[in-house]
Amino acid sequence: MARNFKQSTTQFLTLLCATFALLVFSPIKQLAAQADGEYNGQVVMQSGQSMAWQAQTQQWLTLDDFWQRWANSRGGITWGKSQHYPPYEKVKEQDTFLVEIDDGSCMMEFWHGRWRRANDVRRWDEAFNDYSACPRVFD
């Protein structure tokens, strides 16, 4: 019986220590992760400007710079920047294009037979869908 009591006490203390460590160190880890960025494409406001975490370089970039770096990693923006979409018959799957609308632009990617916001394909932060011309590309 003493052996069972000792095992139970040891298990209880182990569980107690693990719970304490989670309660103390998880918030510290979360704060550190937030300072560095938690995931590629995470958007935060810094000094009144939207900034996106670029995981490969471990730095915060403007959303436009984030798009450009992403496009560059894939060989560049396939169709450049324009108010007019490229000819449909010449576009290939995963081609990219910066559509210009009024005073803004939005990174687009050709995906499954149609142009989509790059964020809808890549699943970066939802804030990209509210940035610049992105909320209006389908109007």
Side-chain angles (χ1 to χ4, degrees), residues 66-108:
F66 179 89
W67 279 337
Q68 188 64 55
R69 189 170 296 252
W70 171 76
N72 290 348
S73 74
R74 302 162 41 93
I77 299 174
T78 316
W79 292 96
K81 185 176 185 177
S82 175
Q83 294 178 349
H84 306 285
Y85 283 85
Y88 184 83
E89 61 278 355
K90 293 185 179 182
V91 177
K92 293 184 220 111
E93 191 77 0
Q94 295 189 338
D95 277 0
T96 53
F97 171 63
L98 266 170
V99 65
E100 292 180 312
I101 299 174
D102 300 326
D103 61 346
S105 60
C106 185
M107 178 64 74
M108 306 294 286

Side-chain angles (χ1 to χ4, degrees), residues 18-87:
T19 303
F20 177 77
L22 282 174
L23 291 173
V24 171
F25 295 115
S26 287
I28 293 170
K29 184 179 176 188
Q30 285 178 333
L31 288 173
Q34 289 171 354
D36 293 336
E38 292 183 11
Y39 59 91
N40 191 54
Q42 175 187 359
V43 175
V44 298
M45 291 297 287
Q46 292 181 357
S47 302
Q49 182 174 16
S50 294
M51 303 294 284
W53 179 249
Q54 210 286 327
Q56 185 178 18
T57 61
Q58 299 285 294
Q59 63 182 339
W60 293 100
L61 304 172
T62 66
L63 275 56
D64 289 312
D65 289 342
F66 179 89
W67 279 337
Q68 188 64 55
R69 189 170 296 252
W70 171 76
N72 290 348
S73 74
R74 302 162 41 93
I77 299 174
T78 316
W79 292 96
K81 185 176 185 177
S82 175
Q83 294 178 349
H84 306 285
Y85 283 85

